[in-house]
Amino acid sequence: MIGCVNQRVKPRRCPRFLLDNSMLFYYSGTMLDGIKIFSSDSVWRQILSDFGATVPDSPDGADVNFDLLNIHLPASALDIKTAIQDVLDGDRLIIRNIFGHDIHLPAIQARIVIMLYKSGGMSGNDLRVALGYAPDATTHVVDTAIYQLRRTFGREFIQNNGGIYKIGKL
Protein backbone atom coordinates (compact mmCIF):
# COMPACT_ATOMS: atom_id res chain seq x y z
CA MET A 1 0.00 0.00 0.00
CA ILE A 2 2.59 2.54 -1.15
CA GLY A 3 -0.08 5.14 -1.94
CA CYS A 4 -0.45 6.13 1.70
CA VAL A 5 1.41 9.41 2.06
CA ASN A 6 1.56 12.55 4.16
CA GLN A 7 -1.91 14.07 3.62
CA ARG A 8 -4.60 15.91 5.53
CA VAL A 9 -7.34 13.60 4.22
CA LYS A 10 -7.02 10.06 5.52
CA PRO A 11 -6.53 7.47 2.78
CA ARG A 12 -8.50 4.28 3.26
CA ARG A 13 -6.99 1.56 5.46
CA CYS A 14 -3.73 3.39 6.17
CA PRO A 15 -2.43 3.57 9.72
CA ARG A 16 -1.60 7.08 10.91
CA PHE A 17 0.15 9.01 13.63
CA LEU A 18 0.79 12.62 14.54
CA LEU A 19 4.35 13.82 14.01
CA ASP A 20 5.55 16.99 15.82
CA ASN A 21 1.95 17.95 16.72
CA SER A 22 1.63 19.63 13.34
CA MET A 23 1.67 16.96 10.69
CA LEU A 24 -0.66 14.02 10.40
CA PHE A 25 1.40 11.27 8.81
CA TYR A 26 -0.15 8.32 6.98
CA TYR A 27 1.89 5.30 6.04
CA SER A 28 1.88 1.73 4.89
CA GLY A 29 2.65 -0.61 7.77
CA THR A 30 4.58 -3.08 5.59
CA MET A 31 6.64 -0.90 3.27
CA LEU A 32 9.96 -1.65 5.05
CA ASP A 33 9.40 -5.28 6.02
CA GLY A 34 12.61 -7.25 6.36
CA ILE A 35 14.93 -4.22 6.49
CA LYS A 36 17.02 -3.58 9.61
CA ILE A 37 17.21 0.17 10.18
CA PHE A 38 18.95 1.87 13.10
CA SER A 39 17.97 5.27 14.47
CA SER A 40 19.02 6.87 17.75
CA ASP A 41 15.91 9.09 17.77
CA SER A 42 12.97 7.53 19.63
CA VAL A 43 10.36 9.16 17.37
CA TRP A 44 12.02 7.89 14.20
CA ARG A 45 12.51 4.46 15.82
CA GLN A 46 8.75 4.26 16.36
CA ILE A 47 8.00 5.49 12.84
CA LEU A 48 10.39 2.98 11.26
CA SER A 49 8.95 0.20 13.39
CA ASP A 50 5.43 1.21 12.33
CA PHE A 51 6.63 1.07 8.69
CA GLY A 52 7.46 -2.59 9.34
CA ALA A 53 11.26 -2.26 9.68
CA THR A 54 13.25 -4.11 12.30
CA VAL A 55 14.85 -1.43 14.50
CA PRO A 56 17.99 -2.68 16.30
CA ASP A 57 19.41 -0.91 19.35
CA SER A 58 22.77 -0.21 17.70
CA PRO A 59 23.93 0.53 14.15
CA ASP A 60 25.99 -2.68 14.14
CA GLY A 61 24.21 -5.21 11.99
CA ALA A 62 21.71 -2.72 10.57
CA ASP A 63 21.17 -2.55 6.81
CA VAL A 64 20.70 1.22 7.02
CA ASN A 65 21.76 3.83 9.59
CA PHE A 66 18.80 6.21 9.40
CA ASP A 67 20.66 8.92 11.35
CA LEU A 68 23.05 9.34 8.41
CA LEU A 69 20.26 9.92 5.87
CA ASN A 70 19.54 13.51 7.00
CA ILE A 71 15.81 13.32 6.32
CA HIS A 72 14.13 16.58 7.21
CA LEU A 73 10.48 17.30 7.88
CA PRO A 74 8.13 17.51 6.22
CA ALA A 75 8.83 14.14 4.63
CA SER A 76 6.34 11.84 3.00
CA ALA A 77 6.42 8.08 3.39
CA LEU A 78 7.69 7.94 -0.19
CA ASP A 79 10.57 10.34 0.66
CA ILE A 80 11.61 8.10 3.54
CA LYS A 81 11.37 4.89 1.53
CA THR A 82 13.28 6.45 -1.37
CA ALA A 83 16.16 7.53 0.91
CA ILE A 84 16.35 4.06 2.43
CA GLN A 85 16.10 2.36 -0.96
CA ASP A 86 18.94 4.55 -2.29
CA VAL A 87 21.22 3.14 0.44
CA LEU A 88 20.12 -0.42 -0.32
CA ASP A 89 20.61 0.17 -4.06
CA GLY A 90 24.14 1.37 -3.30
CA ASP A 91 24.75 -2.00 -1.68
CA ARG A 92 23.43 -3.72 -4.80
CA LEU A 93 25.93 -1.72 -6.86
CA ILE A 94 28.72 -2.99 -4.59
CA ILE A 95 27.60 -6.57 -5.24
CA ARG A 96 27.50 -5.85 -9.00
CA ASN A 97 30.97 -4.31 -8.84
CA ILE A 98 32.43 -7.33 -7.00
CA PHE A 99 30.84 -10.00 -9.21
CA GLY A 100 30.73 -8.08 -12.48
CA HIS A 101 26.99 -8.58 -12.89
CA ASP A 102 23.79 -8.62 -10.86
CA ILE A 103 23.61 -11.61 -8.58
CA HIS A 104 21.20 -12.59 -5.83
CA LEU A 105 22.76 -13.77 -2.61
CA PRO A 106 21.02 -14.83 0.59
CA ALA A 107 20.77 -11.84 2.94
CA ILE A 108 23.48 -12.96 5.39
CA GLN A 109 25.93 -13.70 2.58
CA ALA A 110 25.24 -10.35 0.90
CA ARG A 111 25.77 -8.50 4.19
CA ILE A 112 29.07 -10.30 4.79
CA VAL A 113 30.34 -9.50 1.30
CA ILE A 114 29.28 -5.84 1.59
CA MET A 115 30.78 -5.42 5.08
CA LEU A 116 34.08 -6.99 4.07
CA TYR A 117 34.21 -4.88 0.92
CA LYS A 118 33.42 -1.62 2.73
CA SER A 119 35.74 -2.29 5.67
CA GLY A 120 38.64 -3.79 3.76
CA GLY A 121 38.70 -6.68 6.24
CA MET A 122 37.31 -7.69 9.62
CA SER A 123 38.10 -10.20 12.33
CA GLY A 124 35.61 -12.99 12.90
CA ASN A 125 34.45 -11.40 16.16
CA ASP A 126 34.03 -7.95 14.57
CA LEU A 127 32.10 -9.51 11.70
CA ARG A 128 29.76 -11.35 14.10
CA VAL A 129 29.15 -8.15 16.08
CA ALA A 130 28.53 -6.16 12.88
CA LEU A 131 25.96 -8.76 11.86
CA GLY A 132 24.20 -8.43 15.21
CA TYR A 133 25.60 -11.46 17.04
CA ALA A 134 27.56 -11.43 20.29
CA PRO A 135 31.30 -11.92 19.65
CA ASP A 136 31.30 -15.02 21.83
CA ALA A 137 28.04 -16.42 20.44
CA THR A 138 28.01 -20.15 19.88
CA THR A 139 26.11 -19.79 16.60
CA HIS A 140 27.79 -20.90 13.39
CA VAL A 141 25.65 -18.74 11.09
CA VAL A 142 28.56 -16.52 10.03
CA ASP A 143 30.97 -19.44 9.59
CA THR A 144 28.38 -21.34 7.57
CA ALA A 145 27.69 -18.32 5.34
CA ILE A 146 31.42 -17.87 4.67
CA TYR A 147 31.73 -21.59 3.92
CA GLN A 148 28.84 -21.35 1.45
CA LEU A 149 30.37 -18.29 -0.24
CA ARG A 150 33.68 -20.13 -0.61
CA ARG A 151 31.97 -23.27 -1.90
CA THR A 152 30.04 -21.26 -4.48
CA PHE A 153 32.71 -18.77 -5.60
CA GLY A 154 35.96 -20.53 -4.74
CA ARG A 155 38.18 -20.81 -1.70
CA GLU A 156 40.02 -17.59 -2.59
CA PHE A 157 36.86 -15.47 -2.60
CA ILE A 158 36.78 -14.97 1.19
CA GLN A 159 40.32 -15.04 2.53
CA ASN A 160 41.40 -15.29 6.16
CA ASN A 161 44.84 -13.85 6.79
CA GLY A 162 45.92 -13.68 10.43
CA GLY A 163 42.32 -13.89 11.64
CA ILE A 164 41.11 -11.09 9.32
CA TYR A 165 38.51 -11.96 6.68
CA LYS A 166 38.87 -10.10 3.37
CA ILE A 167 37.33 -10.23 -0.05
CA GLY A 168 39.74 -12.06 -2.34
CA LYS A 169 39.36 -12.98 -5.95
CA LEU A 170 36.68 -14.86 -7.79
Side-chain angles (χ1 to χ4, degrees):
M1 201 183 300
I2 299 293
C4 300
V5 294
N6 166 12
Q7 299 177 9
R8 292 281 179 207
V9 178
K10 181 181 178 186
R12 283 189 248 179
R13 288 182 266 161
C14 291
R16 66 184 177 139
F17 58 89
L18 190 61
L19 185 62
D20 290 344
N21 292 326
S22 63
M23 181 184 300
L24 198 54
F25 200 78
Y26 297 98
Y27 61 92
S28 168
T30 60
M31 66 187 276
L32 298 176
D33 275 355
I35 303 173
K36 292 181 182 178
I37 306 172
F38 168 77
S39 178
S40 60
D41 182 89
S42 61
V43 173
W44 279 117
R45 289 176 65 78
Q46 183 62 48
I47 292 168
L48 294 168
S49 178
D50 289 345
F51 276 161
T54 301
V55 184
D57 292 329
S58 76
D60 297 332
D63 299 322
V64 176
N65 185 334
F66 191 80
D67 295 347
L68 301 178
L69 297 181
N70 296 319
I71 293 178
H72 301 286
L73 296 177
S76 70
L78 188 58
D79 293 336
I80 294 167
K81 182 163 184 173
T82 299
I84 292 167
Q85 195 63 49
D86 287 347
V87 171
L88 297 174
D89 286 346
D91 288 347
R92 285 188 196 102
L93 290 175
I94 289 172
I95 295 287
R96 184 182 305 148
N97 184 38
I98 292 169
F99 292 97
H101 55 85
D102 288 331
I103 186 169
H104 177 74
L105 295 172
I108 187 80
Q109 291 179 22
R111 290 178 63 207
I112 288 171
V113 169
I114 290 165
M115 285 181 194
L116 292 177
Y117 180 84
K118 286 180 177 180
S119 70
M122 299 175 85
S123 71
N125 284 344
D126 290 342
L127 187 56
R128 278 192 240 359
V129 169
L131 291 167
Y133 298 99
D136 56 351
T138 58
T139 181
H140 294 284
V141 171
V142 176
D143 299 324
T144 301
I146 290 172
Y147 168 79
Q148 291 168 340
L149 284 164
R150 286 175 169 165
R151 188 182 66 199
T152 304
F153 300 107
R155 177 108 180 114
E156 296 299 314
F157 179 59
I158 304 287
Q159 298 176 348
N160 186 340
N161 296 322
I164 304 296
Y165 288 104
K166 294 182 178 185
I167 297 290
K169 57 184 175 181
L170 289 171

